Amino acid sequence: MKKTIAIAGAGGYIGRWFIHHFKDKYKIIALSRRDAIQNPDPDVEWRKVELFSITSTIEALQGVDYVIYLIHSMGSLTRLNQGSFEDTDLLLADNFARAAEANKIKQILYLGGILPKEVSEEKISIHLRSRLEVEKTLGSKGVPVTALRAGIIVGPGGSSFEMVRNLVRKLPALMCPKWTTSQTQAISLRDTMTIMDVCLGNPDVFGKSIEIGSPEILTYKGMLEETARVMGKKRWIFSVPVFSVGLSKLWVSFFGETPMKLVSPLVESLKHTLTLSEDLRFKEKEIDYLSFTESVEEALNPENKLPKLPKFKNERDVRNTVRSIQRMPNTRHKSALWVANRYKVWLPTFFRFLIKVKKNERGDIGFFMLNETKPMLQLTWIPDRSDIKRQLFYITGGYLVKRFDYGWLEFREVMNGRYMISAIHEFVPRLPWLVYINTQARIHLWVMNRFRDYLEKYKGF
């Protein structure tokens, strides 16, 4: 019987190629934010899922044996996102871990990044530290995780290699900053697919972190030079001792034709040496690795086109949606239940005579300005989806809210209680957009930062 594999991030580069190579070997369930129509591969099932919702994610993983997790939230899915990519990734990983636990998933296969060896965890780039946090969080609910840590994966359609190709294609001279002399070990798309296939359902790699890459050690400058040679482009590629990281980001983003949101964390990571550790190297199967030159040739072959996605249903989304995610240190080791209740006490105390909070016996909350009888914001507590580690409230009313049938506030513990996350999802403001982003949105972020400071300094018991 075929193993049933769900892929979170199925519409991305790795997910699309995995489906293309293994749709006959596995029963594949591809997860997407929208309903798929006109599916080019009828044997592949596409399921709609909202990964920010635990309930939706639990439903999407029903009947699944193993999952591949390929989520990297570099872009925003709402018009306003008050949250860093690392905090968003942390929350999504925690959601997924809970859903995997609820469905008794046998294994999560996660594709992360090689970690530098010359610095401590606290000093590595935000991008790589986030990848490590996701790896730990996916395994925090007891489901075995196999983390494949890779550097640049070279293949047709891959964003990292596309940046390199575009730089070589557009620039007759490439002035390389100091970070391009850092060493790394790239890996071909073909070899990545082989390793993923070997690891899926393999108990020998459950709970392991494995670094993958070809034996060939290159610098990023060397990759540019070799890519230029394979492309038949005569390029003057030289190093300069002084070239700021900020300028590097602008340079790579513009000439590499890649959004700054994607380039920025990646360039920060390239300052590290990202070579494989002998004790973490993939050893489950002998692989005749493609060289970097062979990988580039495959990536540039016009016959190797990125597999097509289904046509997705064009759904009318609410335009002015807001997501706001704040991470708070949980140095006092308090529960999400305690933090949610403390917020109800702290907010009217902080604003004193300006804001009042009214609660009923069910635990629902209304926030009122001065002596008004109509709330600014009404929250309905959802007891059957709340527990001591997560408190969930639906946004159900208030004159500052435009949509009452969707949107929620939550407080939750992540990374085994090391941090607390406060998040508002799919909030739709009633104020005109320009007024909202310059008033209410700024005030909310300021208030949550003050609440974070309060939790850090709290001396009670």
Side-chain angles (χ1 to χ4, degrees):
M1 182 180 292
K2 291 182 179 180
K3 298 171 185 173
T4 301
I5 311 292
I7 305 177
Y13 159 56
I14 298 296
R16 289 161 75 171
W17 278 113
F18 186 91
I19 292 171
H20 174 76
H21 285 293
F22 300 113
K23 59 189 175 184
D24 294 327
K25 180 173 181 179
Y26 301 113
K27 179 183 177 182
I28 294 178
I29 296 171
L31 306 182
S32 169
R33 293 190 75 245
R34 292 182 293 164
D35 287 315
I37 55 178
Q38 299 180 11
N39 186 358
D41 296 313
D43 291 335
V44 177
E45 179 185 351
W46 287 81
R47 288 184 184 175
K48 182 179 178 180
V49 62
E50 172 53 82
L51 291 175
F52 284 99
S53 165
I54 294 176
T55 303
S56 177
T57 309
I58 289 174
E59 292 174 354
L61 295 183
Q62 288 179 359
V64 170
D65 300 317
Y66 307 91
V67 294
I68 300 173
Y69 192 81
L70 304 171
I71 300 296
H72 301 298
S73 60
M74 295 296 191
S76 174
L77 300 175
T78 52
R79 189 173 183 186
L80 176 64
N81 188 359
Q82 292 180 317
S84 64
F85 79 86
E86 62 267 28
D87 291 352
T88 303
D89 274 348
L90 181 59
L91 185 147
L92 287 171
D94 189 69
N95 265 1
F96 205 84
R98 290 167 180 259
E101 178 192 29
N103 281 286
K104 296 181 172 55
I105 298 297
K106 299 174 184 176
Q107 177 197 26
I108 299 173
L109 182 65
Y110 170 60
L111 192 59
I114 296 175
L115 299 178
K117 315 301 184 294
E118 75 275 15
V119 295
S120 63
E121 181 181 328
E122 292 74 23
K123 294 182 180 180
I124 64 178
S125 72
I126 294 173
H127 174 67
L128 292 176
R129 190 162 64 244
S130 173
R131 301 277 66 77
L132 181 59
E133 281 187 346
V134 169
E135 180 182 319
K136 292 178 178 178
T137 301
L138 288 173
S140 64
K141 305 302 178 184
V143 177
V145 172
T146 302
L148 299 179
R149 299 174 178 172
I152 291 179
I153 299 175
V154 182
S159 57
S160 297
F161 177 71
E162 284 299 305
M163 283 192 290
V164 172
R165 186 181 74 87
N166 287 329
L167 289 171
V168 170
R169 179 175 60 85
K170 297 186 72 171
L171 296 173
L174 286 89
M175 183 171 60
C176 294
K178 185 178 180 181
W179 55 260
T180 60
T181 61
S182 298
Q183 292 183 325
T184 190
Q185 290 174 256
I187 187 170
S188 70
L189 173 70
R190 187 203 71 176
D191 296 334
T192 303
M193 293 290 110
T194 298
I195 292 171
M196 290 174 70
D197 182 41
V198 170
C199 290
L200 270 170
N202 182 354
D204 292 340
V205 298
F206 286 6
K208 285 188 177 181
S209 299
I210 301 170
E211 295 183 343
I212 62 174
S214 78
E216 186 178 14
I217 297 177
L218 292 169
T219 65
Y220 297 101
K221 180 173 176 284
M223 290 182 186
L224 288 166
E225 292 170 336
E226 186 59 19
T227 300
R229 192 192 68 77
V230 174
M231 292 175 67
K233 302 286 187 182
K234 292 184 178 180
R235 296 292 184 253
W236 183 30
I237 302 174
F238 60 98
S239 299
V240 291
V242 180
F243 203 76
S244 72
V245 172
L247 190 56
S248 295
K249 294 174 184 178
L250 291 172
W251 174 69
V252 174
S253 177
F254 183 77
F255 292 107
E257 299 180 5
T258 307
M260 178 61 79
K261 283 186 177 181
L262 177 60
V263 167
S264 182
L266 293 177
V267 169
E268 290 281 355
S269 301
L270 300 182
K271 64 187 177 183
H272 300 301
T273 296
L274 300 178
T275 52
L276 310 187
S277 294
E278 183 58 37
D279 57 335
L280 296 178
R281 188 186 299 269
F282 177 76
K283 300 171 184 175
E284 275 61 42
K285 180 181 179 180
E286 287 292 328
I287 294 179
D288 184 15
Y289 289 95
L290 293 182
S291 67
F292 181 75
T293 300
E294 293 168 329
S295 302
V296 171
E297 289 171 346
E298 281 206 351
L300 295 176
N301 187 337
E303 295 182 1
N304 295 331
K305 294 182 179 179
L306 192 62
K308 291 183 178 180
L309 289 170
K311 182 179 179 181
F312 293 102
K313 187 176 180 181
N314 188 17
E315 299 174 353
R316 292 186 62 187
D317 295 325
V318 177
R319 184 165 173 260
N320 291 341
T321 54
V322 177
R323 178 168 287 112
S324 186
I325 300 172
Q326 286 79 45
R327 180 195 309 215
M328 305 174 185
N330 191 22
T331 54
R332 303 291 175 183
H333 304 290
K334 299 296 186 179
S335 68
L337 174 62
W338 183 91
V339 171
N341 287 332
R342 201 69 203 170
Y343 182 70
K344 301 172 195 176
V345 174
W346 172 84
L347 188 64
T349 304
F350 181 73
F351 283 100
R352 288 181 169 80
F353 304 108
L354 189 62
I355 292 178
K356 293 183 178 180
V357 175
K358 295 181 181 179
K359 299 172 283 185
N360 61 22
E361 293 181 356
R362 287 191 68 258
D364 303 338
I365 316 167
F367 296 94
F368 296 80
M369 180 73 74
L370 298 174
N371 294 317
E372 291 178 335
T373 57
K374 186 175 181 180
M376 297 183 294
L377 181 67
Q378 184 70 42
L379 302 175
T380 299
W381 181 53
I382 310 301
D384 61 332
R385 296 181 183 175
S386 298
D387 55 43
I388 194 169
K389 295 185 177 182
R390 180 182 184 243
Q391 291 290 295
L392 176 66
F393 302 85
Y394 286 165
I395 300 171
T396 54
Y399 60 76
L400 292 178
V401 184
K402 187 173 183 178
R403 183 178 177 180
F404 302 152
D405 63 330
Y406 202 56
W408 65 98
L409 165 72
E410 64 173 325
F411 294 92
R412 73 161 76 185
E413 300 175 36
V414 292
M415 295 193 72
N416 295 317
R418 181 178 178 183
Y419 299 108
M420 193 70 60
I421 280 185
S422 165
I424 289 179
H425 302 279
E426 305 296 337
F427 173 73
V428 182
R430 186 174 294 278
L431 291 174
W433 186 252
L434 288 177
V435 175
Y436 169 76
I437 62 175
N438 287 294
T439 57
Q440 187 182 344
R442 291 176 182 267
I443 292 170
H444 170 75
L445 190 58
W446 178 75
V447 168
M448 296 314 299
N449 286 336
R450 300 292 75 74
F451 184 55
R452 179 194 62 203
D453 295 342
Y454 167 78
L455 292 179
E456 284 187 285
K457 298 174 182 176
Y458 182 75
K459 302 295 185 182
F461 297 97

Short mmCIF file of all heavy atoms in Angstrom, two decimals, residues 388-414:
data_model
loop_
_atom_site.label_atom_id
_atom_site.label_comp_id
_atom_site.label_asym_id
_atom_site.label_seq_id
_atom_site.Cartn_x
_atom_site.Cartn_y
_atom_site.Cartn_z
N ILE A 388 -4.77 25.47 28.93
CA ILE A 388 -3.87 26.27 29.75
C ILE A 388 -2.70 26.83 28.94
O ILE A 388 -2.13 27.87 29.29
CB ILE A 388 -3.35 25.42 30.95
CG1 ILE A 388 -2.70 26.34 32.00
CG2 ILE A 388 -2.39 24.33 30.48
CD1 ILE A 388 -2.41 25.67 33.30
N LYS A 389 -2.38 26.19 27.81
CA LYS A 389 -1.25 26.64 27.00
C LYS A 389 -1.67 27.51 25.81
O LYS A 389 -0.82 28.06 25.11
CB LYS A 389 -0.45 25.43 26.49
CG LYS A 389 0.22 24.64 27.60
CD LYS A 389 1.09 23.54 27.04
CE LYS A 389 1.82 22.80 28.17
NZ LYS A 389 2.72 21.74 27.64
N ARG A 390 -2.98 27.62 25.58
CA ARG A 390 -3.47 28.45 24.49
C ARG A 390 -4.86 28.95 24.82
O ARG A 390 -5.74 28.16 25.19
CB ARG A 390 -3.51 27.67 23.17
CG ARG A 390 -4.01 28.52 21.99
CD ARG A 390 -4.09 27.69 20.72
NE ARG A 390 -4.47 28.48 19.57
CZ ARG A 390 -5.58 28.30 18.85
NH1 ARG A 390 -6.43 27.35 19.19
NH2 ARG A 390 -5.84 29.06 17.81
N GLN A 391 -5.05 30.25 24.68
CA GLN A 391 -6.35 30.86 24.91
C GLN A 391 -6.82 31.52 23.62
O GLN A 391 -6.09 32.34 23.03
CB GLN A 391 -6.27 31.89 26.03
CG GLN A 391 -6.04 31.27 27.40
CD GLN A 391 -7.26 30.51 27.90
OE1 GLN A 391 -8.31 31.09 28.16
NE2 GLN A 391 -7.12 29.20 28.05
N LEU A 392 -8.04 31.17 23.18
CA LEU A 392 -8.55 31.62 21.89
C LEU A 392 -9.82 32.44 22.09
O LEU A 392 -10.73 32.02 22.81
CB LEU A 392 -8.84 30.42 20.99
CG LEU A 392 -9.48 30.72 19.63
CD1 LEU A 392 -8.51 31.50 18.75
CD2 LEU A 392 -9.89 29.42 18.94
N PHE A 393 -9.88 33.58 21.42
CA PHE A 393 -11.05 34.46 21.44
C PHE A 393 -11.41 34.83 20.00
O PHE A 393 -10.54 35.25 19.23
CB PHE A 393 -10.76 35.76 22.22
CG PHE A 393 -10.34 35.55 23.64
CD1 PHE A 393 -9.00 35.30 23.95
CD2 PHE A 393 -11.26 35.62 24.67
CE1 PHE A 393 -8.59 35.12 25.26
CE2 PHE A 393 -10.86 35.44 25.99
CZ PHE A 393 -9.53 35.18 26.29
N TYR A 394 -12.69 34.69 19.64
CA TYR A 394 -13.15 35.18 18.35
C TYR A 394 -13.48 36.66 18.46
O TYR A 394 -13.99 37.12 19.49
CB TYR A 394 -14.40 34.42 17.89
CG TYR A 394 -14.14 33.01 17.41
CD1 TYR A 394 -15.20 32.10 17.26
CD2 TYR A 394 -12.86 32.58 17.10
CE1 TYR A 394 -14.98 30.81 16.81
CE2 TYR A 394 -12.63 31.28 16.66
CZ TYR A 394 -13.69 30.40 16.52
OH TYR A 394 -13.47 29.12 16.09
N ILE A 395 -13.21 37.40 17.40
CA ILE A 395 -13.57 38.81 17.33
C ILE A 395 -15.01 38.89 16.83
O ILE A 395 -15.30 38.60 15.67
CB ILE A 395 -12.62 39.58 16.40
CG1 ILE A 395 -11.18 39.47 16.91
CG2 ILE A 395 -13.04 41.05 16.28
CD1 ILE A 395 -10.13 40.00 15.95
N THR A 396 -15.94 39.24 17.71
CA THR A 396 -17.37 39.12 17.39
C THR A 396 -18.14 40.43 17.41
O THR A 396 -19.35 40.44 17.20
CB THR A 396 -18.03 38.14 18.38
OG1 THR A 396 -17.76 38.58 19.72
CG2 THR A 396 -17.52 36.73 18.19
N GLY A 397 -17.47 41.54 17.65
CA GLY A 397 -18.22 42.80 17.67
C GLY A 397 -17.33 43.98 18.00
O GLY A 397 -16.12 43.86 18.20
N GLY A 398 -17.96 45.17 18.02
CA GLY A 398 -17.26 46.40 18.34
C GLY A 398 -17.30 47.38 17.18
O GLY A 398 -17.27 46.98 16.02
N TYR A 399 -17.36 48.67 17.52
CA TYR A 399 -17.50 49.66 16.45
C TYR A 399 -16.18 49.92 15.70
O TYR A 399 -16.17 50.62 14.69
CB TYR A 399 -18.09 50.98 16.98
CG TYR A 399 -17.30 51.68 18.06
CD1 TYR A 399 -16.14 52.40 17.78
CD2 TYR A 399 -17.76 51.66 19.37
CE1 TYR A 399 -15.44 53.06 18.77
CE2 TYR A 399 -17.07 52.32 20.38
CZ TYR A 399 -15.91 53.02 20.07
OH TYR A 399 -15.22 53.68 21.06
N LEU A 400 -15.06 49.35 16.16
CA LEU A 400 -13.80 49.44 15.43
C LEU A 400 -13.60 48.26 14.48
O LEU A 400 -12.58 48.19 13.78
CB LEU A 400 -12.61 49.51 16.40
CG LEU A 400 -12.50 50.79 17.23
CD1 LEU A 400 -11.30 50.70 18.17
CD2 LEU A 400 -12.38 52.03 16.34
N VAL A 401 -14.58 47.34 14.45
CA VAL A 401 -14.46 46.11 13.65
C VAL A 401 -15.48 46.13 12.52
O VAL A 401 -16.64 46.46 12.73
CB VAL A 401 -14.71 44.86 14.54
CG1 VAL A 401 -14.49 43.59 13.74
CG2 VAL A 401 -13.82 44.90 15.77
N LYS A 402 -15.03 45.75 11.32
CA LYS A 402 -15.93 45.73 10.16
C LYS A 402 -16.52 44.35 9.94
O LYS A 402 -17.65 44.21 9.46
CB LYS A 402 -15.19 46.19 8.91
CG LYS A 402 -16.08 46.37 7.69
CD LYS A 402 -15.31 46.98 6.53
CE LYS A 402 -16.23 47.21 5.34
NZ LYS A 402 -15.50 47.85 4.21
N ARG A 403 -15.75 43.29 10.26
CA ARG A 403 -16.20 41.92 9.98
C ARG A 403 -16.27 41.14 11.28
O ARG A 403 -15.27 41.01 12.00
CB ARG A 403 -15.22 41.25 9.00
CG ARG A 403 -15.62 39.86 8.59
CD ARG A 403 -14.63 39.29 7.57
NE ARG A 403 -14.98 37.92 7.22
CZ ARG A 403 -14.29 37.16 6.36
NH1 ARG A 403 -13.24 37.67 5.75
NH2 ARG A 403 -14.67 35.94 6.11
N PHE A 404 -17.44 40.55 11.56
CA PHE A 404 -17.66 39.84 12.82
C PHE A 404 -17.67 38.31 12.67
O PHE A 404 -17.69 37.60 13.66
CB PHE A 404 -19.00 40.26 13.45
CG PHE A 404 -19.11 41.73 13.73
CD1 PHE A 404 -20.34 42.35 13.74
CD2 PHE A 404 -17.99 42.48 14.01
CE1 PHE A 404 -20.46 43.72 14.00
CE2 PHE A 404 -18.08 43.85 14.27
CZ PHE A 404 -19.32 44.46 14.27
N ASP A 405 -17.67 37.81 11.45
CA ASP A 405 -17.80 36.37 11.24
C ASP A 405 -16.45 35.66 11.11
O ASP A 405 -16.39 34.45 10.93
CB ASP A 405 -18.63 36.09 9.97
CG ASP A 405 -17.96 36.61 8.71
OD1 ASP A 405 -17.22 37.62 8.80
OD2 ASP A 405 -18.17 36.03 7.64
N TYR A 406 -15.36 36.40 11.20
CA TYR A 406 -14.03 35.80 11.06
C TYR A 406 -13.04 36.69 11.78
O TYR A 406 -13.31 37.86 12.04
CB TYR A 406 -13.66 35.68 9.58
CG TYR A 406 -12.60 34.64 9.27
CD1 TYR A 406 -12.78 33.31 9.65
CD2 TYR A 406 -11.43 34.96 8.61
CE1 TYR A 406 -11.83 32.34 9.37
CE2 TYR A 406 -10.47 34.01 8.31
CZ TYR A 406 -10.67 32.70 8.70
OH TYR A 406 -9.72 31.74 8.41
N GLY A 407 -11.90 36.15 12.13
CA GLY A 407 -10.90 36.91 12.87
C GLY A 407 -10.85 36.45 14.31
O GLY A 407 -11.87 36.19 14.93
N TRP A 408 -9.63 36.36 14.85
CA TRP A 408 -9.49 35.87 16.22
C TRP A 408 -8.22 36.42 16.89
O TRP A 408 -7.27 36.83 16.22
CB TRP A 408 -9.51 34.34 16.26
CG TRP A 408 -8.36 33.63 15.60
CD1 TRP A 408 -7.25 33.12 16.21
CD2 TRP A 408 -8.22 33.30 14.20
NE1 TRP A 408 -6.43 32.50 15.29
CE2 TRP A 408 -7.00 32.59 14.05
CE3 TRP A 408 -9.00 33.52 13.06
CZ2 TRP A 408 -6.54 32.13 12.81
CZ3 TRP A 408 -8.55 33.06 11.83
CH2 TRP A 408 -7.35 32.37 11.72
N LEU A 409 -8.27 36.42 18.21
CA LEU A 409 -7.13 36.79 19.06
C LEU A 409 -6.72 35.56 19.84
O LEU A 409 -7.57 34.80 20.31
CB LEU A 409 -7.53 37.92 20.02
CG LEU A 409 -6.59 38.17 21.22
CD1 LEU A 409 -5.29 38.82 20.75
CD2 LEU A 409 -7.27 39.04 22.27
N GLU A 410 -5.41 35.38 20.00
CA GLU A 410 -4.95 34.24 20.80
C GLU A 410 -3.69 34.61 21.58
O GLU A 410 -2.91 35.47 21.19
CB GLU A 410 -4.67 33.03 19.90
CG GLU A 410 -3.55 33.24 18.90
CD GLU A 410 -3.21 31.95 18.14
OE1 GLU A 410 -3.30 30.87 18.75
OE2 GLU A 410 -2.87 32.05 16.95
N PHE A 411 -3.54 33.91 22.71
CA PHE A 411 -2.30 33.90 23.48
C PHE A 411 -1.87 32.44 23.56
O PHE A 411 -2.68 31.57 23.87
CB PHE A 411 -2.51 34.45 24.90
CG PHE A 411 -2.88 35.90 24.95
CD1 PHE A 411 -4.21 36.29 24.95
CD2 PHE A 411 -1.89 36.88 24.98
CE1 PHE A 411 -4.55 37.64 25.02
CE2 PHE A 411 -2.23 38.22 25.04
CZ PHE A 411 -3.57 38.61 25.05
N ARG A 412 -0.60 32.18 23.28
CA ARG A 412 -0.14 30.78 23.35
C ARG A 412 1.32 30.68 23.74
O ARG A 412 2.13 31.55 23.46
CB ARG A 412 -0.36 30.08 22.02
CG ARG A 412 0.61 30.53 20.93
CD ARG A 412 0.66 29.52 19.82
NE ARG A 412 -0.52 29.61 18.98
CZ ARG A 412 -0.76 28.76 17.98
NH1 ARG A 412 0.07 27.76 17.75
NH2 ARG A 412 -1.81 28.91 17.21
N GLU A 413 1.63 29.56 24.41
CA GLU A 413 3.01 29.22 24.72
C GLU A 413 3.63 28.53 23.51
O GLU A 413 2.98 27.72 22.84
CB GLU A 413 3.07 28.25 25.90
CG GLU A 413 2.48 28.78 27.20
CD GLU A 413 2.48 27.72 28.28
OE1 GLU A 413 3.44 26.91 28.34
OE2 GLU A 413 1.51 27.67 29.05
N VAL A 414 4.91 28.84 23.23
CA VAL A 414 5.64 28.16 22.18
C VAL A 414 7.02 27.77 22.71
O VAL A 414 7.49 28.31 23.71
CB VAL A 414 5.79 29.03 20.91
CG1 VAL A 414 4.45 29.23 20.22
CG2 VAL A 414 6.43 30.37 21.24
#
